Each structure stands twice: as structure tokens, then as C-alpha cells.
Amino acid sequence: MTKQRRLLKEGAASRRDFLRTSAAAAVGTTLASGWASLPGAYAAGSDAIKIGLVGCGGRGTGAVKDAFKAAPGVKLVAMGDVFKDRLEKSRAELKALGKDAEVPDDRCFVGFDAYEKVIATEANYIVLATPPGFRPLHLKAAIAAGKHVFTEKPVAVDGPGVRTVLALYEEAKAKGLCVVAGTQRRHQTGYLETIKRIHDGQIGQIVAARCYWNQGGLWMYPRQPNWTDLEWQLRNWLYFTWLSGDHIVEQHVHNIDVVNWALGAHPIRALGMGGRQARTDPAYGHIYDHFAVDYEYENGVHLLSMCRQIENTDKNVSEAIVGSKGEAIMIASTRYAITGPNSWRFPRDQDNAPYVQEHIDLINAIRSGKPINELKNVAESTLTAIMGRMSAYTGREVTWEQALNSKEKLVPEKLVWGPMPVPPVPIPGQTQLV
């Protein structure tokens, strides 16, 4: 049996298994939602959640705030970032949460080794929110140290990174560690209810799927005279593939993950296209501004995947699963519906706050001693996005095995504050698969 088929077999499940898993997730979410409101629901000793924050940008700062909303007994004990100004801004903002979020100077670390120092503290709940290129390295250190982890998505930017994370999934599982990823749709009530109905056969057999993340542009920090190449790239990490994976990986992974979840599998091949038409200034690095990918799953189902970051264009952030008896439409926090004989619509006012819920679920798993481990799901969705990028960059069909076993390692072995040339913009037909 090939590695590809073995992974598919492991990732697939029967409809009965889907039902059991989805129902358990829904019940667990309901129970966990009430956790934070129960005074004395934790022991002040071993059940105390001690957060170590690695990556103090907006997402890392937000994740700490969400964890404080999720449950009592949470304390921020250490912070680390490569830039002191980012750390201090986050530190000042988090102080507003109270004395449990006040971190002393000797627990604030700056530099490329800051993650090691944070992990070496008494923190037992590591939040990883640096640019994705660093994720495999940071995950490896946290799991080796026996720490529970909340990791932002995606979890890698290349095949070697995904291989590392898949191995870490097994290591964390063996150690009984809890790992939750920032694919928050898997913790959102509207999505849980819709996916449950898909797995229950309410749209019949899945025959096709669509997913989109089409929007305008994002932030960019103009280069300052005193910035080295490396500092400029780190501060504008979205626009460099070694740091973000390109926006199909960094952002569109959310939508791709929903389709993989619905199908209970990952694609076996991808054929994509894309380019850089509107965001052409070198200030935006070398990534593309649009992608369109045709993914094929082992059962013959095709997924149309589309993402775009171009101003003055139509916006669409959604997923659709087409069945033989209907269709499921999912638009986060806006609409979840099924058409056809089993038509249904989720009450919008019953949706939850998924950014908080993912921390509720993680903390509940830690305190209950019932581990949750999402690394495999997010690793497979990350590689699905990487497949699409590889295909669009080269103009070639890319299989799951090619992406998984790729030798292309985008993150440099050693980083120094000096010159760091920007790779050329990929050109289909010229850029080669590695």
C-alpha cells in the first residue's frame, strides 16, 4: 500500500464514524461552552493554565485575550518575539486584562531564540502565533518539552515542514498532549451542525465542492531606511513565501480545511493557476495576488478552490458542498443552509464565538485529561494548500505524494540581520517542481 493510500485510509471514515465524531464534537462544544461560567471548576494548582506566548503580533495578542475569556484560572507567564517593539506593544495591551496578564521583565524574551526561553519557563499552554514558516520548529520544541499547544494555522509552508508536523502529531499523541489549531471553523456551532448533516447524508452523496477566499488587499509596512532585508521581510511576512506560504496557504487554508473535513479526506492531485497582476510593487514581496485550483479527491470529487487579494473586486469567503440530493452552503457567522429535500437553515443567533471556543475546548481537554489533537487535520489541509501553490507556480499537475515528499525547503537554515535577496516571482512553465 502506498503512503498516499495509507494516509487516505487512515483519514477516511465511514458515515457511521462521521456521525459519532460529529455528534461527540457538538456535545463537547456544548459542555465546554459552560465551562468558563462555573466558579471553582478548576483546581488552582495542577489545573492552572499558564500561557507562554510565542509571537506577539495581533493574532498572538488576540489569542491570549481569547484564552482569558475562555475559562477561569488562566495566567500569562511568559512572552517572546523577535522584535522588542512588538513584544512591548502586546505586553502593554494585555495588561488591561488584569494582574494575571502582567509579565515581569525577566519573562519577556526577544530574538530568534525567544521561543526556546518561553518554552523553558513553567508555561504549560504554549501559544504559537509567529509567521507560519517558523511553525514546525516551534511545534517541535514545545512538544519535545511536553507542553500543550495552541498553534495558529497554517502549520508549515513546504513539504518538509508538513512531514515534521505529521511526525509531531504522533509524538504529541503518544505523550497525551493537547494541541488545538487556529482552524476555528471546526469549533464553530454553525459549521459543526452543517457538517454533521452532511455526514448524516442529508445532501446525499457528495459529488462536488467549491470554496473561496476572495477579498481586497491587506496591510503592508513601507520599508524603513534602517531595516535590513531580513527585518523588512519579517515585518511584512505576508508577502514572502518562506514566511507565509503565500496567501493560498496562509489564509485560504481555512476554506480548504472545511472541504477536507466535509469529505473526510484530502485531495490526491491539484492543477492550479494564478498570478500577480494588481499587487506588482516590490513592496509586496514576490507572492501572487490570485489563485484558482482544481483539486481531485480519490473518490472522483472535484473541488474548485479560488482565492484573491485584489482591491475593487467582488468578495466571497465561503464553502459549498454539492450532493446528489442537495447542497450545503457555509458562510462563517452569516449563513449555514442546506437546500433540497432536507432543506434546513441554522439560526444565525445560535452561532458562537469560535476564537474563544477553540480555547474553551483546549482548556477543557487539558483539565479533563481527555486529549484533543488537531495536528494531523491542519497538517493535511496545509499540504492541500501547498499543492495548489506548487501547481500554480509551475503550471504543472501536482500529486499529494509529490507535495508531501518535496525536497523544497523554503525556510533558511540560518537567519542573520543582513542581506537576504527576494526570490523572483514564479513563472508557470519556467519555475520547476522540487
Side-chain angles (χ1 to χ4, degrees), residues 63 65 77 111 121 164 178 192 220 223 312 405 412 414 426 432:
K65 291 179 180 179
V77 300
T121 68
T164 295
C178 296
L192 287 164
M220 181 273 289
R223 184 165 183 169
N312 302 314
N405 296 313
K414 186 176 181 180
Q432 300 297 310

Side-chain angles (χ1 to χ4, degrees), residues 342-361:
N342 298 308
S343 61
W344 164 86
R345 187 158 186 159
F346 179 75
R348 185 174 174 180
D349 61 359
Q350 291 183 24
D351 212 8
N352 64 345
Y355 289 102
V356 176
Q357 189 66 49
E358 55 194 357
H359 290 278
I360 292 174
D361 294 344

Side-chain angles (χ1 to χ4, degrees), residues 157-163 383 386 389-390 398-413 432-434:
V157 296
D158 51 31
V162 171
R163 293 197 299 271
L383 189 65
I386 290 171
R389 182 197 72 212
M390 292 172 66
V398 176
T399 68
W400 179 264
E401 290 291 339
Q402 284 177 305
L404 182 61
N405 296 313
S406 170
K407 296 180 180 179
E408 183 180 37
K409 191 169 184 179
L410 297 177
V411 183
E413 291 289 343
Q432 300 297 310
L433 288 174
V434 179

Side-chain angles (χ1 to χ4, degrees), residues 17-233:
D17 291 333
F18 277 141
L19 274 169
R20 188 186 308 117
T21 302
S22 300
V27 172
T29 299
T30 302
L31 292 174
S33 297
W35 186 268
S37 63
L38 296 176
Y42 71 99
S46 61
D47 279 349
I49 300 299
K50 301 174 183 178
I51 297 176
L53 172 61
V54 179
C56 301
R59 186 75 285 273
T61 304
V64 173
K65 291 179 180 179
D66 293 332
F68 269 74
K69 293 175 184 176
V74 175
K75 183 177 177 65
L76 178 63
V77 300
M79 302 175 68
D81 197 280
V82 72
F83 295 120
K84 185 176 181 179
D85 62 308
R86 297 294 291 173
L87 187 149
E88 291 301 335
K89 181 180 179 181
S90 175
R91 188 183 181 192
E93 188 173 335
L94 291 172
K95 276 185 178 181
L97 297 176
K99 64 178 182 179
D100 284 337
E102 294 181 2
V103 182
D105 291 344
D106 62 356
R107 296 299 179 88
C108 292
F109 308 106
V110 174
F112 285 112
D113 62 350
Y115 75 98
E116 296 177 317
K117 295 175 181 178
V118 169
I119 292 169
T121 68
E122 78 274 21
N124 60 5
Y125 190 102
I126 306 299
V127 173
L128 299 180
T130 64
F134 298 106
R135 202 84 74 233
L137 177 68
H138 294 173
L139 277 166
K140 186 174 182 179
I143 290 170
K147 304 298 177 82
H148 302 295
V149 178
F150 173 81
T151 175
E152 264 305 336
K153 55 74 212 161
V155 289
V157 296
D158 51 31
V162 171
R163 293 197 299 271
T164 295
V165 176
L166 287 172
L168 292 173
Y169 162 77
E170 298 294 348
E171 183 179 342
K173 185 177 178 181
K175 290 182 174 181
L177 298 175
C178 296
V179 185
V180 162
T183 44
Q184 75 278 354
R185 285 163 169 77
R186 289 183 181 251
H187 300 262
Q188 191 158 5
T189 310
Y191 276 95
L192 287 164
E193 290 295 327
T194 308
I195 296 293
K196 178 182 176 182
R197 283 166 171 77
I198 293 171
H199 293 165
D200 192 28
Q202 293 191 18
I203 63 169
Q205 181 180 352
I206 296 174
V207 297
R210 307 184 302 275
C211 68
Y212 308 89
W213 195 308
N214 294 338
Q215 65 159 74
L218 294 176
W219 53 264
M220 181 273 289
Y221 297 113
R223 184 165 183 169
Q224 302 302 303
N226 61 320
W227 287 357
T228 64
D229 288 350
L230 179 57
E231 179 168 356
W232 168 59
Q233 292 182 33

